[in-house]
Amino acid sequence: MDAKKPIRVTVWNEYLDEQKRKDITDVYPEGLHKTIADFLNRAGGIEAKTSLIGDPEQGLSGEILDATDVLIWWGHVHHGKVTDQAAARVADQVRRGMGIIFLHSAHRAKPFTALLGTSGRISWREAEERCRVWTADPAHPIAAGVPDQFLLDREEMYSEPFGVPEPESTVFISWFQGGNVLRSGLTFRREYGKIFYFQPGHETYPSYHHETVQRIMINAARWAAPLVRVADRDCPNDKESLERIDV
Ligand code: ZN
């Protein structure tokens, strides 16, 4: 990656119900994707665009993904509408180096379970409860400038056990008012692609307006940007050896 070139982020969203529900438009008038893209574009060094499930090829065409360094995925109740082909394209691009950030209920998105190979199961509760996010790995680049802990006045409760493989790093752990806890900020690597899962972001709560949540997502976009992006190729037969093989 050329350090001078901005990181190209695509913020993908379902956006099928949100524009019809006042409890959501009150918090995110133009959709969560627009709020997220706006603060990323203000961060410097990031060029964020948006795409939606209603766009051609579900906003996940080869052309869009080829021009994306980091894909941010927000999906909630329409995971099943994402075609297997679109999900496979996303997973393939991650394996070849594209970074991906799965937000909130994306723990059940098709590319998430395809890449991690597990169910992504959690338990949940919508009860307007407080959520305290703890920085478990302050030395991780995603935690740069993030306090030891911060409070979200309202979040949807997600609880352990969380059906994911052992992560590369547990960057954040969240405590919920009702007593539950979740490993809420996790990193993984699949082949050349970096993956970050981050739990805050229920659609009727203002988490993406929270300065520290924004800081974490800006850090994550920078961290997940590819160091290499390998070509789409099969397994070539390397017939011509570099050195002579004496048999
Ligand atoms: Zn939610």
Side-chain angles (χ1 to χ4, degrees), residues 76 104-105 156 158 202-203:
H76 206 203
H104 191 56
S105 35
E156 181 176 2
Y158 279 13
H202 185 64
E203 67 272 21

Side-chain angles (χ1 to χ4, degrees), residues 151-206:
L151 189 67
L152 300 172
D153 291 331
R154 288 174 296 155
E155 249 309 333
E156 181 176 2
M157 186 286 289
Y158 279 13
S159 182
E160 297 285 343
F162 187 5
V164 288
E166 195 59 24
E168 191 174 70
S169 301
T170 300
V171 189
F172 302 104
I173 297 172
S174 292
W175 165 90
F176 296 87
Q177 199 175 351
N180 301 75
V181 293
L182 181 80
R183 292 167 293 162
S184 55
L186 302 176
T187 71
F188 304 89
R189 257 274 301 271
R190 288 296 179 269
E191 291 189 40
Y192 307 106
K194 294 183 202 154
I195 301 169
F196 182 53
Y197 172 78
F198 190 45
Q199 188 271 343
H202 185 64
E203 67 272 21
T204 58
Y205 301 150

